[in-house]
mmCIF file of all heavy atoms in Angstrom:
data_model
loop_
_atom_site.group_PDB
_atom_site.id
_atom_site.type_symbol
_atom_site.label_atom_id
_atom_site.label_comp_id
_atom_site.label_asym_id
_atom_site.label_seq_id
_atom_site.Cartn_x
_atom_site.Cartn_y
_atom_site.Cartn_z
ATOM 1 N N ALA A 1 0.830 -1.207 0.000
ATOM 2 C CA ALA A 1 0.000 0.000 0.000
ATOM 3 C C ALA A 1 0.865 1.258 0.000
ATOM 4 O O ALA A 1 0.533 2.247 -0.662
ATOM 5 C CB ALA A 1 -0.933 -0.011 1.208
ATOM 6 N N THR A 2 1.966 1.238 0.747
ATOM 7 C CA THR A 2 2.865 2.399 0.801
ATOM 8 C C THR A 2 3.508 2.648 -0.555
ATOM 9 O O THR A 2 3.590 3.793 -1.025
ATOM 10 C CB THR A 2 3.937 2.188 1.875
ATOM 11 O OG1 THR A 2 3.318 1.955 3.144
ATOM 12 C CG2 THR A 2 4.846 3.404 1.987
ATOM 13 N N VAL A 3 3.976 1.576 -1.197
ATOM 14 C CA VAL A 3 4.572 1.712 -2.534
ATOM 15 C C VAL A 3 3.517 2.185 -3.535
ATOM 16 O O VAL A 3 3.788 3.037 -4.394
ATOM 17 C CB VAL A 3 5.196 0.377 -2.981
ATOM 18 C CG1 VAL A 3 5.679 0.457 -4.428
ATOM 19 C CG2 VAL A 3 6.357 -0.003 -2.062
ATOM 20 N N ALA A 4 2.301 1.641 -3.425
ATOM 21 C CA ALA A 4 1.211 2.064 -4.324
ATOM 22 C C ALA A 4 0.890 3.546 -4.129
ATOM 23 O O ALA A 4 0.618 4.262 -5.100
ATOM 24 C CB ALA A 4 -0.032 1.211 -4.075
ATOM 25 N N ASP A 5 0.913 4.004 -2.869
ATOM 26 C CA ASP A 5 0.690 5.436 -2.607
ATOM 27 C C ASP A 5 1.689 6.293 -3.376
ATOM 28 O O ASP A 5 1.330 7.313 -3.975
ATOM 29 C CB ASP A 5 0.826 5.714 -1.105
ATOM 30 C CG ASP A 5 -0.460 5.439 -0.343
ATOM 31 O OD1 ASP A 5 -1.523 5.387 -0.982
ATOM 32 O OD2 ASP A 5 -0.394 5.279 0.880
ATOM 33 N N LEU A 6 2.958 5.886 -3.320
ATOM 34 C CA LEU A 6 4.005 6.657 -4.005
ATOM 35 C C LEU A 6 3.784 6.647 -5.512
ATOM 36 O O LEU A 6 3.917 7.687 -6.179
ATOM 37 C CB LEU A 6 5.376 6.067 -3.667
ATOM 38 C CG LEU A 6 5.898 6.323 -2.253
ATOM 39 C CD1 LEU A 6 7.142 5.484 -1.985
ATOM 40 C CD2 LEU A 6 6.217 7.797 -2.051
ATOM 41 N N TRP A 7 3.463 5.483 -6.062
ATOM 42 C CA TRP A 7 3.248 5.366 -7.507
ATOM 43 C C TRP A 7 2.050 6.206 -7.956
ATOM 44 O O TRP A 7 2.128 6.978 -8.914
ATOM 45 C CB TRP A 7 3.033 3.900 -7.871
ATOM 46 C CG TRP A 7 2.734 3.680 -9.325
ATOM 47 C CD1 TRP A 7 1.508 3.737 -9.943
ATOM 48 C CD2 TRP A 7 3.677 3.380 -10.362
ATOM 49 N NE1 TRP A 7 1.627 3.493 -11.280
ATOM 50 C CE2 TRP A 7 2.953 3.262 -11.577
ATOM 51 C CE3 TRP A 7 5.058 3.193 -10.389
ATOM 52 C CZ2 TRP A 7 3.565 2.965 -12.782
ATOM 53 C CZ3 TRP A 7 5.667 2.890 -11.596
ATOM 54 C CH2 TRP A 7 4.929 2.787 -12.772
ATOM 55 N N LEU A 8 0.920 6.060 -7.238
ATOM 56 C CA LEU A 8 -0.314 6.740 -7.635
ATOM 57 C C LEU A 8 -0.240 8.249 -7.451
ATOM 58 O O LEU A 8 -0.970 8.987 -8.122
ATOM 59 C CB LEU A 8 -1.490 6.186 -6.824
ATOM 60 C CG LEU A 8 -1.885 4.739 -7.106
ATOM 61 C CD1 LEU A 8 -2.877 4.248 -6.071
ATOM 62 C CD2 LEU A 8 -2.466 4.605 -8.507
ATOM 63 N N GLN A 9 0.629 8.703 -6.563
ATOM 64 C CA GLN A 9 0.730 10.142 -6.327
ATOM 65 C C GLN A 9 1.199 10.884 -7.573
ATOM 66 O O GLN A 9 0.882 12.061 -7.758
ATOM 67 C CB GLN A 9 1.691 10.417 -5.155
ATOM 68 C CG GLN A 9 1.734 11.862 -4.702
ATOM 69 C CD GLN A 9 0.453 12.331 -4.029
ATOM 70 O OE1 GLN A 9 -0.462 11.548 -3.801
ATOM 71 N NE2 GLN A 9 0.388 13.609 -3.708
ATOM 72 N N VAL A 10 1.922 10.186 -8.462
ATOM 73 C CA VAL A 10 2.418 10.837 -9.676
ATOM 74 C C VAL A 10 1.258 11.221 -10.598
ATOM 75 O O VAL A 10 1.084 12.405 -10.923
ATOM 76 C CB VAL A 10 3.448 9.948 -10.400
ATOM 77 C CG1 VAL A 10 3.935 10.638 -11.674
ATOM 78 C CG2 VAL A 10 4.626 9.634 -9.490
ATOM 79 N N PRO A 11 0.417 10.263 -11.045
ATOM 80 C CA PRO A 11 -0.704 10.685 -11.896
ATOM 81 C C PRO A 11 -1.777 11.457 -11.133
ATOM 82 O O PRO A 11 -2.502 12.260 -11.733
ATOM 83 C CB PRO A 11 -1.259 9.353 -12.429
ATOM 84 C CG PRO A 11 -0.851 8.327 -11.431
ATOM 85 C CD PRO A 11 0.484 8.791 -10.914
ATOM 86 N N TYR A 12 -1.893 11.242 -9.823
ATOM 87 C CA TYR A 12 -2.897 11.964 -9.042
ATOM 88 C C TYR A 12 -2.594 13.461 -9.018
ATOM 89 O O TYR A 12 -3.501 14.290 -9.136
ATOM 90 C CB TYR A 12 -2.931 11.406 -7.624
ATOM 91 C CG TYR A 12 -3.896 12.125 -6.697
ATOM 92 C CD1 TYR A 12 -5.277 12.087 -6.926
ATOM 93 C CD2 TYR A 12 -3.443 12.838 -5.597
ATOM 94 C CE1 TYR A 12 -6.164 12.749 -6.086
ATOM 95 C CE2 TYR A 12 -4.329 13.494 -4.753
ATOM 96 C CZ TYR A 12 -5.679 13.443 -4.997
ATOM 97 O OH TYR A 12 -6.556 14.095 -4.161
ATOM 98 N N THR A 13 -1.335 13.820 -8.870
ATOM 99 C CA THR A 13 -0.977 15.238 -8.816
ATOM 100 C C THR A 13 -0.727 15.840 -10.194
ATOM 101 O O THR A 13 -1.071 16.995 -10.442
ATOM 102 C CB THR A 13 0.274 15.443 -7.943
ATOM 103 O OG1 THR A 13 1.334 14.600 -8.421
ATOM 104 C CG2 THR A 13 -0.018 15.106 -6.494
ATOM 105 N N ALA A 14 -0.121 15.060 -11.106
ATOM 106 C CA ALA A 14 0.244 15.604 -12.419
ATOM 107 C C ALA A 14 -0.852 15.414 -13.453
ATOM 108 O O ALA A 14 -0.835 16.066 -14.498
ATOM 109 C CB ALA A 14 1.538 14.958 -12.917
ATOM 110 N N GLY A 15 -1.836 14.545 -13.174
ATOM 111 C CA GLY A 15 -2.862 14.233 -14.147
ATOM 112 C C GLY A 15 -2.452 13.029 -14.976
ATOM 113 O O GLY A 15 -1.264 12.758 -15.162
ATOM 114 N N GLY A 16 -3.434 12.297 -15.464
ATOM 115 C CA GLY A 16 -3.145 11.138 -16.291
ATOM 116 C C GLY A 16 -3.684 9.853 -15.702
ATOM 117 O O GLY A 16 -4.348 9.847 -14.662
ATOM 118 N N GLY A 17 -3.396 8.738 -16.392
ATOM 119 C CA GLY A 17 -3.889 7.430 -15.990
ATOM 120 C C GLY A 17 -2.944 6.716 -15.053
ATOM 121 O O GLY A 17 -1.886 7.229 -14.676
ATOM 122 N N LEU A 18 -3.312 5.468 -14.729
ATOM 123 C CA LEU A 18 -2.550 4.681 -13.756
ATOM 124 C C LEU A 18 -1.094 4.503 -14.145
ATOM 125 O O LEU A 18 -0.220 4.450 -13.280
ATOM 126 C CB LEU A 18 -3.207 3.300 -13.589
ATOM 127 C CG LEU A 18 -4.501 3.235 -12.777
ATOM 128 C CD1 LEU A 18 -5.097 1.848 -12.858
ATOM 129 C CD2 LEU A 18 -4.227 3.607 -11.324
ATOM 130 N N PHE A 19 -0.826 4.390 -15.433
ATOM 131 C CA PHE A 19 0.539 4.093 -15.879
ATOM 132 C C PHE A 19 1.234 5.303 -16.514
ATOM 133 O O PHE A 19 2.272 5.152 -17.150
ATOM 134 C CB PHE A 19 0.513 2.914 -16.860
ATOM 135 C CG PHE A 19 -0.092 1.668 -16.262
ATOM 136 C CD1 PHE A 19 -1.375 1.286 -16.579
ATOM 137 C CD2 PHE A 19 0.631 0.913 -15.354
ATOM 138 C CE1 PHE A 19 -1.944 0.154 -16.011
ATOM 139 C CE2 PHE A 19 0.072 -0.220 -14.777
ATOM 140 C CZ PHE A 19 -1.216 -0.605 -15.113
ATOM 141 N N ASP A 20 0.639 6.482 -16.328
ATOM 142 C CA ASP A 20 1.286 7.703 -16.812
ATOM 143 C C ASP A 20 2.275 8.196 -15.761
ATOM 144 O O ASP A 20 2.123 9.265 -15.163
ATOM 145 C CB ASP A 20 0.237 8.775 -17.114
ATOM 146 C CG ASP A 20 -0.644 8.409 -18.285
ATOM 147 O OD1 ASP A 20 -0.156 7.678 -19.165
ATOM 148 O OD2 ASP A 20 -1.813 8.826 -18.325
ATOM 149 N N VAL A 21 3.310 7.392 -15.541
ATOM 150 C CA VAL A 21 4.319 7.689 -14.517
ATOM 151 C C VAL A 21 5.681 7.780 -15.192
ATOM 152 O O VAL A 21 6.120 6.831 -15.846
ATOM 153 C CB VAL A 21 4.344 6.604 -13.420
ATOM 154 C CG1 VAL A 21 5.442 6.886 -12.402
ATOM 155 C CG2 VAL A 21 2.986 6.523 -12.725
ATOM 156 N N THR A 22 6.326 8.914 -15.049
ATOM 157 C CA THR A 22 7.654 9.121 -15.620
ATOM 158 C C THR A 22 8.693 9.173 -14.509
ATOM 159 O O THR A 22 8.358 9.367 -13.334
ATOM 160 C CB THR A 22 7.696 10.433 -16.420
ATOM 161 O OG1 THR A 22 7.451 11.531 -15.516
ATOM 162 C CG2 THR A 22 6.632 10.443 -17.507
ATOM 163 N N GLY A 23 9.943 9.008 -14.901
ATOM 164 C CA GLY A 23 11.020 9.095 -13.918
ATOM 165 C C GLY A 23 11.075 10.459 -13.260
ATOM 166 O O GLY A 23 11.282 10.576 -12.050
ATOM 167 N N ALA A 24 10.855 11.511 -14.058
ATOM 168 C CA ALA A 24 10.881 12.867 -13.496
ATOM 169 C C ALA A 24 9.724 13.076 -12.528
ATOM 170 O O ALA A 24 9.895 13.669 -11.452
ATOM 171 C CB ALA A 24 10.822 13.897 -14.626
#
């Protein structure tokens, strides 16, 4: 759950879908 929180925070704050996660 903690790792998922970190992953999901990227599209949650920047916008986009579940896998719209970039290194930056």
